[in-house]
């Protein structure tokens, strides 16, 4: 890993990742890397939300690199354990979306990943933080569950405060993007960068059903912003106040909240990238 941790790396494997792909790798992942000239240890997560604890312990133990063997949810958990440390996050992307791997230029074929990591370089990237929990790709309100159902989604009354300036109204979605990709290749903010010190907000007001369907289709191409009903705004913080608890999505994971506080933490996470 370009001298930055090939001999001092540990993989944290989510056995549930990739529709069971992770379970099959539990006994063979160390060999996969050994065949590429790297000796790594492999830990299997004992349950949900355990990867963050294991990653934090690995950082405390002095590992230079923690490899997230799983999907974006596993990467998110491990990022929560590593943020603010000098230990770098690397990926062995087993998920269905793999948005972070796409954003960091990882190869599409899994068999190419060990050789990629052997030459990878360290880079400091920003993270977002929502109600104290770190996210790497994107987080927001109004996008939880099956995104295709957005056509049936009703806009919610919200007070949105962006870098201290408030606006009230009914909104369909508010997404804060740190990375470019989200939800398996959607591009809520195609101009966003992982290391620019900003969050890129996508804010959609109430739309008709056909307009919503059209916007959803354009989301994959990143051409959905129109400056009026769907706006793109750069910010360092956004607070959202709602009348009731609603689903809030963080890197694909769902929580529920009526108050949402999002901010950027510049350069807070080390990663291995192309």
């Amino acid at each position: 890993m370009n001298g930055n941790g090939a001999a001092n790396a540990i993989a944290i494997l989510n056995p549930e990742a990739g529709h069971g792909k992770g379970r099959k790798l539990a006994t063979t992942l160390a060999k996969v890397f050994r065949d590429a000239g790297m000796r790594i240890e492999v830990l299997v997560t004992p349950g949900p939300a355990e990867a963050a604890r294991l990653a934090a312990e690995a950082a405390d133990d002095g590992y230079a690199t923690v490899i997230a063997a799983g999907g974006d949810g596993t990467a998110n958990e491990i990022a929560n354990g590593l943020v603010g440390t000098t230990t770098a996050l690397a990926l062995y992307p087993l998920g269905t979306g793999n948005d972070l791997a796409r954003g960091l230029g990882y190869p599409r074929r899994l068999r190419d990943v060990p050789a990629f990591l052997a030459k990878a370089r360290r880079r400091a990237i920003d993270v977002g933080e929502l109600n104290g929990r770190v996210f790497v790709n994107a987080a927001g309100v109004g996008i939880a569950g099956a995104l295709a159902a957005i056509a049936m989604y009703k806009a919610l009354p919200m007070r949105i405060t962006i870098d201290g300036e408030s606006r009230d109204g009914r909104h369909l979605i508010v997404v804060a993007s740190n990375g470019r990709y989200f939800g398996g290749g959607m591009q809520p903010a195609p101009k966003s960068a992982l290391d620019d010190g900003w969050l890129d907000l996508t804010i959609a007001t109430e739309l008709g059903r056909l307009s919503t369907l059209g916007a959803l289709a354009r989301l994959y191409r990143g051409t959905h912003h129109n400056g009026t009903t769907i706006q793109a705004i750069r910010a360092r913080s956004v607070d959202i106040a709602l009348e009731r608890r609603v689903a809030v999505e963080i890197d694909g994971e769902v929580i529920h909240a009526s108050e949402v506080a999002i901010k950027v933490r510049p350069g807070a996470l080390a990663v291995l990238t192309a």
Side-chain angles (χ1 to χ4, degrees), residues 42-208:
V42 178
L43 287 178
V44 177
T45 56
E50 287 292 297
R53 177 182 63 81
L54 294 174
E57 289 175 359
D60 286 344
D61 289 343
Y63 282 94
T65 303
V66 174
I67 302 167
D72 285 316
T74 305
N76 171 276
E77 281 194 38
I78 291 174
N80 272 272
L82 297 183
V83 68
T85 75
T86 59
T87 301
L89 167 67
L91 306 173
Y92 191 76
L94 299 173
T96 50
N98 298 323
D99 291 302
L100 181 58
R102 186 183 280 114
L104 291 175
Y106 276 63
R108 292 292 180 97
R109 297 187 306 185
L110 264 181
R111 66 174 178 265
D112 296 333
V113 171
F116 170 86
L117 289 178
K119 298 176 181 175
R121 63 183 176 88
R122 286 173 63 96
R123 172 185 169 197
I125 65 168
D126 310 330
V127 295
E129 186 181 292
L130 187 152
N131 291 3
R133 177 168 174 171
V134 162
F135 64 91
V136 181
N137 288 316
V141 175
I143 51 173
L147 265 162
I150 200 170
M152 303 301 291
Y153 196 86
K154 299 296 183 191
L156 297 172
M158 302 180 190
R159 166 164 285 184
I160 303 170
T161 305
I162 301 168
D163 289 340
E165 293 190 12
S166 296
R167 58 171 78 182
D168 292 291
R170 298 181 68 89
H171 292 85
L172 191 69
I173 59 170
V174 180
V175 182
S177 295
N178 181 48
R180 181 172 175 180
Y181 299 103
F182 177 74
M186 291 185 178
Q187 299 183 62
K191 294 180 180 177
S192 63
L194 285 162
D195 57 1
D196 63 357
W198 293 89
L199 295 170
D200 288 72
L201 308 182
T202 301
I203 300 177
T205 56
E206 198 158 20
L207 303 170

Side-chain angles (χ1 to χ4, degrees), residues 3 9-10 33 47-48 55 71 75 86 100 138 169 188 237 244 263:
I10 190 167
F33 277 88
T86 59
L100 181 58
S237 70
R244 57 181 173 82
K263 65 181 180 180

Side-chain angles (χ1 to χ4, degrees), residues 6 31-39 114:
K31 183 179 184 302
V32 167
F33 277 88
R34 194 162 58 244
D35 290 347
M38 284 178 283
R39 299 186 69 83

